[in-house]
Amino acid sequence: MGKNMMIGQSGGPTAVINSSLAGAIEYGLLAEEIDNIYGMINGIEGLLEDNIINLTLMFKSLPHELNRLKHSPAMFLGSCRYKLSGSEEEYRNIFNLLEKHQVGYFIYIGGNDSMDTVKQLSDYGARHNIDVRIVGIPKTIDNDLVGIDHSPGFGSAAKYIAACVREVAYDTSIYSIKSVHIIEAMGRDAGWLTAASVLARQDNMPAPHLVYLPEVPFSVEQFIRDVKKKLEEYNSVIVVVSEGIKDENGEYISAKQDTGADRFGHARLSGTSAYLKSVIEEEVGCKVRALEPSVLQRSAGHICSLCDVNEAFNLGSVAVRAALDGKTGVFSTLRRTSDKPYCVEYYTEDVAVVANNEKRVPRGWINQEGNDVTEEMVTYLRPLIRGTVQTPFRSGLPDYIDIRHLDIKAQKYKD
């Protein structure tokens, strides 16, 4: 008799995090060592509440539903932003629940903070000789995870931002009046997603005209000069800024509209584009719009990168294989072996590498003026948005997998 596998999702959603879940489930269903696959509803919080569903019952006889899961955005199992307290009681509660469900393999999909959860649980298990293999699967649209060439979820979000910029550029190009559009992309301290907006520059399309990342101190005065200079050349100027741009003193530009901090101590950022809109209105006097895609850029399943979907799926499979091979305290990852042709290889890395660490854009990939990126960045980005997913449609809209179990207790799939 084999052991069971427990899997959960945590942090912010992406367009392909369910692809990783599908990859893990598919591999687990085929593994003789695994009897049942259980899903935590709302991550660690759900586990502590014993809110568990049987994914084997859900998917074993419905392979088409697994494919549907692979191509659905957001988080099928729900999420949480639960930070472990580190108390002995909490650890005991978690491992007692894993023992109750006869779990030998624990898989957790998430970003920096989620990988810290993987590290803490695997460290505790090692200290107490508990035979549960704990493995992480990375994800984040921010692309700020250390130990991986690029994060699952980033390529699809990058594709969405680039497409938005391109469409805004076509929209604004029809007018002869002077205008500025400021698009605010997600990214607290790393500007990868903002940088991806430059992929909109195809077929002699110059937009975005200015790009500002948080890796370089932001000067409002220089920003005004940059915009004025571009308006001398173009009627419509499109600017893309990271939500986390800071001034030379390290203060968030969005601090003009302080919204506090989350439970992990991260500043809640909002209002950067709105503030810069007011600056341009006052200093330049032309028509200005502030555009904030906000959560739209996270789970845009209708415009996924096929590259992103496939890599996320493969990383799910790699994680389960690692657990079955006896590995614990690791996460599945990939490295790029070639740009032309684009190629990656998969492996696992110690989760301590990624937990609570942050990968930022190299200064050499940002131009000297701090208002654009270099060709090295474009070379890095371009393969990640390639490929089109054949999203199924029904009644004119994307046909995603049913997620009603997140609102009501799914008794049908409980043991």
Side-chain angles (χ1 to χ4, degrees), residues 119-188:
K119 182 180 184 304
Q120 289 191 55
L121 293 179
S122 59
D123 287 349
Y124 182 88
R127 288 196 303 271
H128 294 81
N129 296 315
I130 300 173
D131 188 21
V132 178
R133 287 81 177 270
I134 302 172
V135 178
I137 302 174
K139 69 88 205 172
T140 179
I141 67 167
D142 295 328
N143 198 38
D144 60 354
L145 300 183
V146 176
I148 189 167
D149 180 81
H150 53 277
S151 305
F154 170 65
S156 294
K159 186 169 185 171
Y160 178 82
I161 287 292
C164 286
V165 171
R166 192 162 175 80
E167 288 167 354
V168 169
Y170 270 87
D171 181 280
T172 60
S173 66
I174 67 173
Y175 300 106
S176 61
I177 62 173
K178 295 292 184 180
S179 68
V180 176
H181 286 71
I182 305 170
I183 302 172
E184 179 180 333
M186 286 183 171
R188 179 182 290 107

Side-chain angles (χ1 to χ4, degrees), residues 82-108:
Y82 187 87
K83 188 174 181 63
L84 293 176
S85 67
S87 70
E88 184 69 21
E89 180 183 7
E90 184 178 56
Y91 286 136
R92 281 201 304 269
N93 286 340
I94 290 172
F95 280 94
N96 284 341
L97 284 163
L98 296 181
E99 183 179 9
K100 170 187 173 181
H101 293 286
Q102 300 179 1
V103 172
Y105 315 100
F106 181 96
I107 311 295
Y108 210 40

Side-chain angles (χ1 to χ4, degrees), residues 227-298:
V227 171
K228 286 181 176 178
K229 184 176 180 180
K230 291 295 182 181
L231 283 170
E232 293 175 1
E233 187 177 358
Y234 303 100
N235 283 329
S236 171
V237 172
I238 297 177
V239 181
V240 184
V241 299
S242 290
E243 62 179 346
I245 55 173
K246 311 179 191 71
D247 62 21
E248 61 275 9
N249 297 316
E251 182 180 3
Y252 288 110
I253 297 300
S254 63
K256 307 293 181 182
Q257 302 179 46
D258 186 13
T259 53
D262 64 18
R263 69 177 64 186
F264 293 99
H266 304 318
R268 290 194 179 98
L269 306 182
S270 180
T272 301
S273 58
Y275 171 70
L276 294 178
K277 173 180 180 288
S278 67
V279 168
I280 295 301
E281 285 176 332
E282 182 177 345
E283 297 294 333
V284 180
C286 65
K287 179 181 178 181
V288 190
R289 280 198 175 99
L291 308 175
E292 188 177 343
S294 187
V295 298
L296 295 174
Q297 63 204 286
R298 297 198 305 193

